Short mmCIF file of all heavy atoms in Angstrom, two decimals:
data_model
loop_
_atom_site.label_atom_id
_atom_site.label_comp_id
_atom_site.label_asym_id
_atom_site.label_seq_id
_atom_site.Cartn_x
_atom_site.Cartn_y
_atom_site.Cartn_z
N GLU A 228 83.45 117.52 44.89
CA GLU A 228 82.98 118.64 44.07
C GLU A 228 83.90 118.78 42.87
O GLU A 228 85.01 118.22 42.84
CB GLU A 228 82.95 119.93 44.88
CG GLU A 228 84.31 120.34 45.42
CD GLU A 228 84.25 121.60 46.27
OE1 GLU A 228 83.69 122.60 45.80
OE2 GLU A 228 84.77 121.57 47.41
N LEU A 229 83.45 119.51 41.87
CA LEU A 229 84.32 119.82 40.75
C LEU A 229 85.33 120.88 41.17
O LEU A 229 84.98 121.82 41.89
CB LEU A 229 83.50 120.33 39.56
CG LEU A 229 82.57 119.32 38.91
CD1 LEU A 229 81.71 120.00 37.85
CD2 LEU A 229 83.35 118.18 38.29
N PRO A 230 86.58 120.74 40.75
CA PRO A 230 87.58 121.75 41.12
C PRO A 230 87.31 123.07 40.42
O PRO A 230 86.74 123.11 39.32
CB PRO A 230 88.89 121.14 40.64
CG PRO A 230 88.50 120.22 39.53
CD PRO A 230 87.15 119.68 39.90
N LEU A 232 88.10 126.13 38.13
CA LEU A 232 88.88 126.15 36.89
C LEU A 232 89.82 127.34 36.80
O LEU A 232 90.72 127.36 35.96
CB LEU A 232 87.93 126.14 35.68
CG LEU A 232 87.12 124.86 35.49
CD1 LEU A 232 86.23 124.97 34.25
CD2 LEU A 232 88.02 123.65 35.38
N SER A 237 85.48 128.98 31.90
CA SER A 237 84.19 128.46 32.33
C SER A 237 83.93 127.01 31.93
O SER A 237 82.93 126.42 32.36
CB SER A 237 83.06 129.34 31.75
OG SER A 237 83.14 129.35 30.32
N SER A 238 84.78 126.42 31.12
CA SER A 238 84.59 125.03 30.72
C SER A 238 85.94 124.37 30.51
O SER A 238 86.97 125.02 30.34
CB SER A 238 83.73 124.93 29.45
OG SER A 238 84.38 125.55 28.36
N GLY A 239 85.93 123.05 30.48
CA GLY A 239 87.15 122.27 30.35
C GLY A 239 87.27 121.31 31.51
O GLY A 239 86.52 121.36 32.48
N CYS A 240 88.20 120.37 31.41
CA CYS A 240 88.37 119.30 32.40
C CYS A 240 87.09 118.48 32.45
O CYS A 240 86.59 118.06 31.41
CB CYS A 240 88.79 119.87 33.74
SG CYS A 240 90.37 120.76 33.68
N ALA A 241 86.54 118.23 33.63
CA ALA A 241 85.28 117.47 33.72
C ALA A 241 84.12 118.46 33.70
O ALA A 241 83.97 119.26 34.62
CB ALA A 241 85.26 116.64 35.00
N ASN A 242 83.32 118.41 32.65
CA ASN A 242 82.21 119.35 32.51
C ASN A 242 80.96 118.81 33.22
O ASN A 242 80.65 117.62 33.12
CB ASN A 242 81.91 119.59 31.03
CG ASN A 242 83.01 120.40 30.35
OD1 ASN A 242 83.40 121.46 30.85
ND2 ASN A 242 83.53 119.91 29.24
N PRO A 243 80.23 119.67 33.94
CA PRO A 243 79.09 119.22 34.75
C PRO A 243 78.05 118.44 33.95
O PRO A 243 77.48 117.48 34.45
CB PRO A 243 78.51 120.52 35.30
CG PRO A 243 79.65 121.49 35.28
CD PRO A 243 80.49 121.12 34.10
N ARG A 244 77.82 118.81 32.70
CA ARG A 244 76.75 118.18 31.93
C ARG A 244 77.05 116.73 31.57
O ARG A 244 76.15 115.99 31.14
CB ARG A 244 76.48 118.99 30.65
CG ARG A 244 77.60 118.93 29.62
CD ARG A 244 77.36 119.92 28.50
NE ARG A 244 76.17 119.61 27.72
CZ ARG A 244 76.18 119.02 26.52
NH1 ARG A 244 77.34 118.67 25.98
NH2 ARG A 244 75.08 118.79 25.86
N ASP A 245 78.30 116.28 31.76
CA ASP A 245 78.67 114.92 31.41
C ASP A 245 78.46 113.93 32.55
O ASP A 245 78.67 112.73 32.38
CB ASP A 245 80.12 114.87 30.92
CG ASP A 245 80.32 115.64 29.63
OD1 ASP A 245 79.40 115.64 28.80
OD2 ASP A 245 81.39 116.25 29.46
N PHE A 246 78.10 114.41 33.72
CA PHE A 246 77.81 113.52 34.85
C PHE A 246 76.36 113.05 34.74
O PHE A 246 75.45 113.84 34.44
CB PHE A 246 78.03 114.25 36.18
CG PHE A 246 79.49 114.47 36.49
CD1 PHE A 246 80.20 115.49 35.88
CD2 PHE A 246 80.15 113.65 37.39
CE1 PHE A 246 81.55 115.70 36.15
CE2 PHE A 246 81.50 113.84 37.67
CZ PHE A 246 82.20 114.86 37.05
N LYS A 247 76.15 111.77 34.99
CA LYS A 247 74.83 111.17 34.82
C LYS A 247 74.28 110.70 36.16
O LYS A 247 74.97 110.01 36.93
CB LYS A 247 74.90 110.01 33.83
CG LYS A 247 75.29 110.46 32.42
CD LYS A 247 75.29 109.31 31.42
CE LYS A 247 75.62 109.81 30.02
NZ LYS A 247 75.61 108.71 29.03
N ILE A 248 73.01 111.06 36.40
CA ILE A 248 72.33 110.77 37.66
C ILE A 248 71.16 109.86 37.35
O ILE A 248 70.45 110.06 36.35
CB ILE A 248 71.86 112.08 38.32
CG1 ILE A 248 73.06 112.94 38.76
CG2 ILE A 248 70.97 111.80 39.53
CD1 ILE A 248 73.58 113.90 37.73
N TYR A 291 72.74 112.38 45.90
CA TYR A 291 72.38 111.30 45.00
C TYR A 291 73.64 110.68 44.38
O TYR A 291 74.70 111.30 44.34
CB TYR A 291 71.46 111.82 43.88
CG TYR A 291 71.92 113.11 43.23
CD1 TYR A 291 73.03 113.15 42.39
CD2 TYR A 291 71.25 114.31 43.48
CE1 TYR A 291 73.45 114.33 41.79
CE2 TYR A 291 71.66 115.50 42.89
CZ TYR A 291 72.76 115.50 42.05
OH TYR A 291 73.17 116.68 41.48
N TYR A 293 75.98 109.24 41.21
CA TYR A 293 76.21 109.70 39.84
C TYR A 293 77.38 108.93 39.25
O TYR A 293 78.20 108.36 39.96
CB TYR A 293 76.47 111.21 39.80
CG TYR A 293 77.55 111.70 40.72
CD1 TYR A 293 78.89 111.74 40.34
CD2 TYR A 293 77.24 112.13 42.02
CE1 TYR A 293 79.87 112.21 41.18
CE2 TYR A 293 78.22 112.59 42.89
CZ TYR A 293 79.53 112.63 42.46
OH TYR A 293 80.51 113.08 43.32
N LYS A 294 77.43 108.93 37.91
CA LYS A 294 78.55 108.30 37.23
C LYS A 294 79.14 109.28 36.22
O LYS A 294 78.50 110.27 35.83
CB LYS A 294 78.13 107.00 36.55
CG LYS A 294 77.34 107.14 35.26
CD LYS A 294 77.26 105.80 34.54
CE LYS A 294 76.71 105.96 33.13
NZ LYS A 294 76.83 104.71 32.34
N TYR A 295 80.36 108.97 35.78
CA TYR A 295 81.07 109.84 34.84
C TYR A 295 81.99 108.98 33.99
O TYR A 295 82.68 108.08 34.50
CB TYR A 295 81.88 110.90 35.59
CG TYR A 295 82.71 111.80 34.71
CD1 TYR A 295 82.12 112.78 33.92
CD2 TYR A 295 84.10 111.65 34.64
CE1 TYR A 295 82.90 113.60 33.10
CE2 TYR A 295 84.87 112.46 33.82
CZ TYR A 295 84.26 113.43 33.05
OH TYR A 295 85.02 114.24 32.24
N MET A 299 85.35 111.30 28.63
CA MET A 299 84.76 112.61 28.34
C MET A 299 85.60 113.75 28.90
O MET A 299 85.30 114.92 28.63
CB MET A 299 83.35 112.69 28.92
CG MET A 299 82.38 111.64 28.40
SD MET A 299 82.03 111.85 26.64
CE MET A 299 81.06 113.35 26.67
N VAL A 318 89.58 115.38 38.30
CA VAL A 318 88.17 115.20 37.95
C VAL A 318 87.28 115.68 39.09
O VAL A 318 86.35 116.46 38.88
CB VAL A 318 87.88 113.72 37.64
CG1 VAL A 318 86.40 113.52 37.28
CG2 VAL A 318 88.77 113.23 36.51
N LEU A 319 87.56 115.21 40.30
CA LEU A 319 86.78 115.56 41.48
C LEU A 319 87.73 115.83 42.64
O LEU A 319 88.82 115.25 42.72
CB LEU A 319 85.82 114.43 41.86
CG LEU A 319 84.67 114.14 40.89
CD1 LEU A 319 84.01 112.81 41.24
CD2 LEU A 319 83.64 115.27 40.90
#
Side-chain angles (χ1 to χ4, degrees):
E228 60 182 309
L229 293 174
L232 294 181
S237 58
S238 63
C240 299
N242 290 309
R244 69 189 296 258
D245 295 325
F246 287 78
K247 296 183 178 180
I248 294 89
Y291 46 72
Y293 52 88
K294 76 167 191 171
Y295 177 73
M299 301 294 290
V318 180
L319 293 167

